[in-house]
Amino acid sequence: MQTAYRPIRVALLGAGSVGSQVARLLIENKEELAQRVGAELELTGIAVRNLDSKREGNLPSHLFTTDAEALIESSDLVIELMGGIEPARSYVRMALNSGADVITANKALIAAHGPELFDLAEQLGAQLYFEAAVGGAIPIIRPLRESLAGDKVNKVMGIVNGTTNFILDRMESTGASFEDALREAQDLGYAEADPTADVEGFDAASKAAILASLAFHSEVPVEQVYREGITKVTALQIETARESGYAVKLLAICERIPASDGQPEGIAVRVHPTLIPEEHPLAAVRGAYNAVFVEAESAGQLMFYGAGAGGTQTASAVLGDLVGAAKRHLAGGPGLADSVHANLPILPVQAVTTRYQVTLRVTDLPGVLASVATVFANHEVSVETVDQNPAGKDSGALLTITTHEASERDLDSVVADLRSNAAVQNVDSVIRVEGI
Ligand SMILES: NC(=O)C1=CN([C@@H]2O[C@H](COP(=O)(O)OP(=O)(O)OC[C@H]3O[C@@H](n4cnc5c(N)ncnc54)[C@H](O)[C@@H]3O)[C@@H](O)[C@H]2O)C=CC1
Ligand SMILES: N[C@@H](CC=O)C(=O)O
Ligand code: NA
């Protein structure tokens, strides 16, 4: 296709699950993309660690190089899909310094070094795009940054890690073991290079930090995100949850906490396994799908749903950013600046109020139920339901207690007292409940 502009030189860093699909789509859809942008997008090279590695697809071998720096220096736009902090951070800085706009899917990098990279981009009049960093293919970054820029967001809650959702879903629906389900997620290209990032909740915490920062116009250091992964979730917990009408999901919850008791308004950001009622839309999010709920003052409730992981799906978000960056490259303009003016304090998880399900083994004797109920009452935690079952092959009874809303602080005190109560053999599980 003949266009008025010279081709825009695009460098790709990384050719794994996402990078290989971005390269394929850039090559296969070259004509159509040129029509949309108004100039050809020329994939000038793909930086990889090892030229001899086996790769997906049939990408032309002449594109591969191990010299990422030379590739960056000779490009107009740079797509970073290597993952990890270094050398990704140095390469992104190098690209911005060389005048290129950068597109990345790297949530770990944006969550840990976003402020530094956005500042650098702003000083240089460059742009850093990261739609693929949260929710894979789902448009969520742009809606928060642009569509909701005139509204006041109060809560963002969702499933933002495909691998863990896939594992929990497989464990629940097919009875697969944690290890087998994880292996399957890795084979499908959903998991991070080190899957600890997924299963211990680090990936979701990075995404939560990014979402909270955009939603509340505040800097949210990822270290201040409360985080629990899914490695301690047992098959028994999943079964108990299902029997009481819940699904177990790893949720990221970012919320505005109103000022109270002399404490100023702040935000709390947390990632942890959560019980969701079966009829709640989040309970129906299966496999590697993600969904994000946004509650805004004027817009009300919004829900964003789609493929949260996968090479081709994530490549869609990368290419969307690429087309935007290429248009800006041709037309110029300031682009979007990072907005952290509200600077709300990040509150500890103890400031959060939610509901809980506590499962404990107790001695099956008269008065035990009353004694357990007294522990909850002593800390003003109101009990909603109590379910009692025989404790299987062990002696005693299994109590499943669901509370009304209580503060994290009070619930901690309840659990400490339960642990020292003579009638309580063990507190098997404490899990938060949302979505009621
Ligand atoms: N896989 C997915 O579903 C999604 C991934 N992402 C993000 O996209 C990025 C890429 O993810 P994947 O493609 O899954 O990872 P991957 O591990 O499949 O691919 C990364 C590629 O980068 C290459 N690489 C790493 N260090 C390099 C270096 N120093 N020089 C040159 N090449 C290097 C690796 O050899 C590998 O081929 C990550 O930041 C990830 O968090 C985001 C959304 C979804
Ligand atoms: N490993 C991540 C990939 C997408 O961000 C996930 O499983 O969600
Ligand atoms: Na996205």
Side-chain angles (χ1 to χ4, degrees):
M1 177 201 161
Q2 201 67 28
T3 61
Y5 298 100
R6 70 168 178 77
I8 298 172
R9 297 164 303 171
V10 178
L12 178 58
L13 313 180
S17 303
V18 185
S20 59
Q21 296 310 309
V22 167
R24 175 181 68 76
L25 291 166
L26 268 173
I27 294 167
E28 281 178 15
N29 301 337
K30 193 177 169 120
E31 287 289 314
E32 176 65 25
L33 289 167
Q35 298 276 1
R36 292 187 193 176
V37 170
E40 192 183 311
L41 294 176
E42 184 193 353
L43 179 59
T44 49
I46 308 173
V48 293
R49 262 192 299 224
N50 181 353
L51 292 176
D52 301 323
S53 294
K54 268 194 135 186
R55 287 172 221 290
E56 297 251 320
N58 229 350
L59 299 170
S61 57
H62 73 269
L63 286 176
F64 289 98
T65 173
T66 52
D67 193 348
E69 297 190 13
L71 181 62
I72 292 168
E73 291 300 335
S74 61
S75 302
D76 301 308
L77 302 174
V78 173
I79 306 175
E80 183 279 305
L81 294 172
M82 300 185 316
I85 304 296
E86 284 296 347
R89 170 169 167 255
S90 300
Y91 288 159
V92 169
R93 291 186 63 92
M94 193 181 297
L96 293 170
N97 276 314
S98 77
D101 279 0
V102 174
I103 295 111
T104 182
N106 193 335
K107 43 280 157 99
L109 179 65
I110 296 291
H113 295 284
E116 161 210 324
L117 297 173
F118 292 120
D119 280 355
L120 179 65
E122 201 175 343
Q123 281 164 31
L124 295 162
Q127 279 285 290
L128 182 55
Y129 299 81
F130 53 102
E131 181 58 73
V134 183
I138 306 171
I140 181 66
I141 299 298
R142 207 164 293 147
L144 281 173
R145 278 184 115 182
E146 300 182 37
S147 321
L148 290 165
D151 208 331
K152 181 179 178 190
V153 175
N154 288 321
K155 188 166 183 180
V156 180
M157 169 169 107
I159 294 169
V160 293
N161 182 270
T163 302
T164 45
N165 202 58
F166 182 90
I167 294 172
L168 292 172
D169 186 19
R170 280 286 191 277
M171 286 172 74
E172 187 195 335
S173 57
T174 68
S177 71
F178 181 95
E179 291 74 22
D180 285 350
L182 170 59
R183 210 167 304 117
E184 206 184 331
Q186 287 177 295
D187 291 346
L188 290 164
Y190 302 149
E192 296 301 302
D194 175 0
T196 311
D198 297 294
V199 297
E200 293 294 0
F202 291 102
D203 179 79
S206 293
K207 291 165 173 168
I210 295 171
L211 290 173
S213 165
L214 295 174
F216 306 123
H217 305 277
S218 299
E219 241 174 61
V220 180
V222 66
E223 307 77 43
Q224 291 191 37
V225 176
Y226 174 83
R227 176 192 54 77
E228 278 175 41
I230 63 161
T231 46
K232 295 197 179 83
V233 176
T234 61
L236 180 64
Q237 251 178 340
I238 293 176
E239 197 188 313
T240 311
R242 195 180 31 198
E243 280 165 5
S244 48
Y246 294 99
V248 182
K249 297 288 184 188
L250 184 73
L251 290 199
I253 304 167
C254 320
E255 61 200 317
R256 199 183 281 277
I257 310 274
S260 75
D261 298 338
Q263 179 182 274
E265 182 188 33
I267 50 186
V269 189
R270 53 197 166 108
V271 166
H272 50 69
T274 314
L275 294 187
I276 292 285
E278 261 163 11
E279 58 282 3
H280 191 278
L282 284 178
V285 176
R286 314 304 295 252
Y289 278 83
N290 283 187
V292 182
F293 271 103
V294 178
E295 276 175 33
E297 216 155 80
S298 307
Q301 288 195 331
L302 305 164
M303 183 174 173
F304 300 83
Y305 170 81
T312 308
Q313 295 87 339
T314 306
S316 162
V318 172
L319 286 175
D321 278 351
L322 181 66
V323 168
K327 286 184 170 168
R328 195 181 95 87
H329 179 78
L330 296 179
L336 280 177
D338 194 23
S339 155
V340 290
H341 62 274
N343 211 11
L344 292 172
I346 318 296
L347 304 177
V349 73
Q350 283 72 23
V352 162
T353 300
T354 186
R355 299 155 57 105
Y356 302 84
Q357 192 180 77
V358 182
T359 308
L360 52 155
R361 276 161 209 279
V362 295
T363 318
D364 198 2
L365 288 173
V368 165
L369 200 53
S371 140
V372 166
T374 305
V375 172
F376 283 80
N378 284 346
H379 297 284
E380 291 181 25
V381 175
S382 164
V383 169
E384 190 197 14
T385 60
V386 180
D387 194 26
Q388 179 171 343
N389 286 298
K393 56 182 168 18
D394 302 334
S395 61
L398 201 59
L399 293 183
T400 303
I401 299 172
T402 309
T403 74
H404 287 292
E405 284 222 331
S407 80
E408 197 74 27
R409 226 174 257 117
D410 289 341
L411 203 277
D412 284 353
S413 307
V414 166
V415 173
D417 281 6
L418 287 174
R419 291 212 160 106
S420 57
N421 185 308
V424 176
Q425 294 165 0
N426 192 40
V427 178
D428 280 8
S429 128
V430 179
I431 188 160
R432 297 168 187 87
V433 183
E434 291 275 343
I436 297 179

